[in-house]
Amino acid sequence: MKGLRVAVAVLAAGLVSSAVPLRGQAGYQPAPENLAARRWFQDARFGMFVHWGIYSVLGDGEWVMNNRKIRAAEYEKLPAFFNPVDFDPAAWVALVKAAGMKYVTITSKHHDGFAMFDSKVSDWDIVDRTPYKKDVLKMLADECHRQGIKLFFYHSQLDWHHPDYYPRGRTGHDTGRPESGEWYRYLDYMDAQLEELLTGYGEIGGIWFDGWWDRPEADWRLAKTYALIHRLQPAALVGSNHHRRPNPGEDFQMFEKDLPGRNTAGFNDQSEIGDLPLETCETMNNAWGFNITDRSYKSTKDLVRYLVRAAGNDANFLLNVGPMPNGKIQPEFASRLKEMGDWLSRYGESIYGTRGGPVTPRPWGVTTQKGDTVYLHVLDWPDETLSLPKLPGKVTAARFVKDGSRAAFVEDEAGVRVKIPAAMRDDTDTVLALTYQSS
Ligand code: FHN
């Protein structure tokens, strides 16, 4: 009797485990080049996010199809108006570099399903449907490779246009598509497009998935998709914006509109921090895709401080632009990016190649670390003496990164106290470098 119960339990467990979709690529062992790419990614610290698609024509963000209940057949009129004759990939990449960014993550396909590249498995793409007829991803990839910038593709798993994206998820219910479809045929299509992206655009930094959250209960066949990517380009990093702890087969963890572990924007309610490289993304106003009336631009100071806080939390900062339908990046974004680049040209040593520092984020600011140097990023500190707990070794020197001048400090059993005279304080970030001797 007991034996039977055990057998039934084992059988039931087997049935359950085969019915519950596997989340990820079980047993995944990252290749050595993948591990090297993760280190590169962490060293890079700052990237440009680009949300660009036919929705930019309407100047109302990338969710316009869903928000305005535009049917798929109506939305199909849009590509005819998308003609980015002023798109200049060399100028984009020059701006990326001027901003001090090291990589670009651009939408190959957003939720509207429209491929911004020359797909052979669909004609719902930029080459087949727009008067522009050119593959902007190829143009950008070539330019990124020329100028030494890594290119990642944002790829939406959710699709408001493809008929086989069925059963529908939480969104895209007003698109007028027939209430039928073949889910696994949709996944085959998605894998085929990913294969195109990983074979036709040179070396790719990685794939940034989004949209899993539309159907959390579905079998996304992640194991197959992740294995495909890792087979085609072992160094390419896989990440997914599912707002959860990473699944096997993912190489970095992302947070949306919040620092790791925070949830002020409501996206990261289930995001526990795992042990992969981290990234947080944010908009410059409130929109990802071009929004013509969104004037809520963040100041350069706030954007720099976000970058600093991200680095202090051991995370990259992926800062978004939503280019206009003519192919240009609007001046409000460009000017802020250049100002961030100016700041980084002075303080970059405290950001690039660093990891989160030994003192965890505090109300006054954060720390970063590179080798035996700890950088203090003092963001809000009104007093003269800042007290720190003990660092991993005896402090031998302290300097203000601004001008290299020495900072006075005292070290005892309790820790280190550093003097920050009012004249040395910087409204954006007072950066000090403390060098210690490892014991
Ligand atoms: O729905 C998308 C949104 O349009 C945008 O792409 C952001 C970027 O992180 N992610 C989604 C929401 O989680």
Side-chain angles (χ1 to χ4, degrees):
M1 186 64 189
K2 192 177 164 215
L4 185 67
R5 251 184 284 143
V6 171
V8 169
V10 169
L11 196 66
L15 285 175
V16 169
S17 64
S18 64
V20 172
L22 269 180
R23 295 230 169 94
Q25 190 186 348
Y28 168 60
Q29 292 294 335
E33 53 268 54
N34 186 286
L35 295 174
R38 292 181 190 188
R39 284 191 293 275
W40 176 91
F41 182 70
Q42 287 182 299
D43 288 347
R45 279 296 176 241
F46 192 26
M48 179 184 277
F49 209 178
V50 183
H51 276 71
W52 198 31
I54 50 172
Y55 42 78
S56 65
V57 168
L58 298 175
D60 198 8
E62 78 289 354
W63 270 67
V64 64
M65 181 179 182
N66 185 79
N67 293 351
R68 286 172 47 186
K69 302 189 191 323
I70 303 175
R71 296 187 169 193
E74 294 160 346
Y75 198 80
E76 283 175 11
K77 295 185 174 133
L78 219 46
F81 304 107
F82 186 75
N83 193 14
V85 288
D86 292 330
F87 172 56
D88 178 352
W92 277 27
V93 180
L95 180 61
V96 167
K97 292 186 112 173
M101 294 161 150
K102 306 292 185 194
Y103 61 99
V104 174
T105 304
I106 187 168
T107 43
S108 42
K109 175 185 100 150
H110 204 267
H111 307 333
D112 63 1
F114 191 79
M116 291 294 279
F117 59 101
D118 186 14
S119 179
K120 300 294 179 228
V121 294
S122 164
D123 68 349
W124 183 231
D125 72 53
I126 189 163
V127 173
D128 292 315
R129 297 279 181 126
T130 73
Y132 192 60
K133 294 189 189 306
K134 284 190 259 181
D135 183 336
V136 290
L137 292 197
K138 183 78 176 82
M139 294 160 77
L140 186 62
D142 290 347
E143 195 55 44
C144 282
H145 292 136
R146 249 193 301 276
Q147 296 202 41
I149 290 292
K150 277 208 191 191
L151 184 65
F152 290 64
F153 292 132
Y154 166 114
H155 206 75
S156 175
Q157 294 158 300
L158 155 61
D159 197 308
W160 293 329
H161 182 270
H162 201 286
D164 283 323
Y165 187 89
Y166 188 85
R168 311 264 183 265
R170 296 176 181 170
T171 65
H173 290 276
D174 303 297
T175 55
R177 287 174 288 181
E179 288 304 314
S180 61
E182 191 39 66
W183 177 247
Y184 291 103
R185 200 159 58 198
Y186 170 71
L187 294 183
D188 289 343
Y189 164 78
M190 192 174 68
D191 286 349
Q193 287 206 323
L194 288 166
E195 183 155 356
E196 293 178 331
L197 290 167
L198 286 148
T199 52
Y201 297 81
E203 198 183 296
I204 291 308
I207 301 292
W208 204 105
F209 284 112
D210 202 354
W212 176 94
W213 42 263
D214 190 57
R215 294 200 60 208
E217 74 297 340
D219 175 15
W220 284 96
R221 238 176 38 190
L222 293 182
K224 188 172 180 199
T225 301
Y226 289 179
L228 171 80
I229 299 168
H230 289 131
R231 178 173 59 76
L232 292 172
Q233 292 210 24
L237 304 181
V238 172
S240 175
N241 192 28
H242 43 51
H243 313 139
R244 310 267 172 118
R245 200 185 164 84
N247 296 309
E250 294 168 9
D251 303 301
F252 66 106
Q253 180 176 10
M254 55 189 71
F255 298 83
E256 181 166 347
K257 285 184 155 288
D258 258 309
L259 295 170
R262 307 263 181 89
N263 186 26
T264 60
F267 291 103
N268 305 317
D269 54 334
Q270 299 197 48
S271 307
E272 289 166 63
I273 304 176
D275 46 18
L276 295 176
L278 309 175
E279 183 189 68
T280 172
C281 59
E282 183 50 291
T283 49
M284 258 201 247
N285 46 10
N286 265 329
W288 298 104
F290 176 55
N291 185 318
I292 200 162
T293 51
D294 186 342
R295 303 173 203 105
S296 52
Y297 304 109
K298 296 173 184 68
S299 66
T300 302
K301 175 182 162 183
D302 285 345
L303 292 169
V304 166
R305 287 157 72 93
Y306 199 89
L307 168 68
V308 167
R309 285 203 169 90
N313 279 268
D314 206 19
N316 287 13
F317 183 29
L318 185 64
L319 178 57
N320 184 72
V321 300
M324 300 186 286
N326 64 357
K328 286 202 181 260
I329 294 174
Q330 62 188 88
E332 294 87 349
F333 293 164
S335 60
R336 283 165 177 77
L337 289 173
K338 285 182 191 139
E339 285 163 10
M340 291 185 82
D342 289 345
W343 186 88
L344 276 162
S345 66
R346 278 172 290 138
Y347 296 103
E349 67 161 280
S350 69
I351 301 291
Y352 301 125
T354 65
R355 299 292 182 271
V359 182
T360 53
R362 303 288 151 116
W364 53 260
V366 295
T367 61
T368 54
Q369 176 161 14
K370 188 159 43 185
D372 289 345
T373 301
V374 173
Y375 294 97
L376 308 182
H377 293 270
V378 186
L379 300 169
D380 298 292
W381 183 253
D383 293 332
E384 188 141 284
T385 309
L386 178 70
S387 296
L388 305 166
K390 270 197 104 47
L391 296 186
K394 188 175 153 37
V395 177
T396 53
R399 68 182 155 90
F400 289 95
V401 173
K402 187 187 204 150
D403 58 3
S405 64
R406 284 170 59 175
F409 69 94
V410 177
E411 187 172 22
D412 59 22
E413 283 314 296
V416 189
R417 290 184 298 287
V418 192
K419 231 171 161 189
I420 307 177
M424 291 308 286
R425 262 178 241 152
D426 189 306
D427 205 29
T428 301
D429 179 12
T430 307
V431 190
L432 291 103
L434 269 56
T435 309
Y436 65 82
Q437 201 166 38
S438 305
S439 34

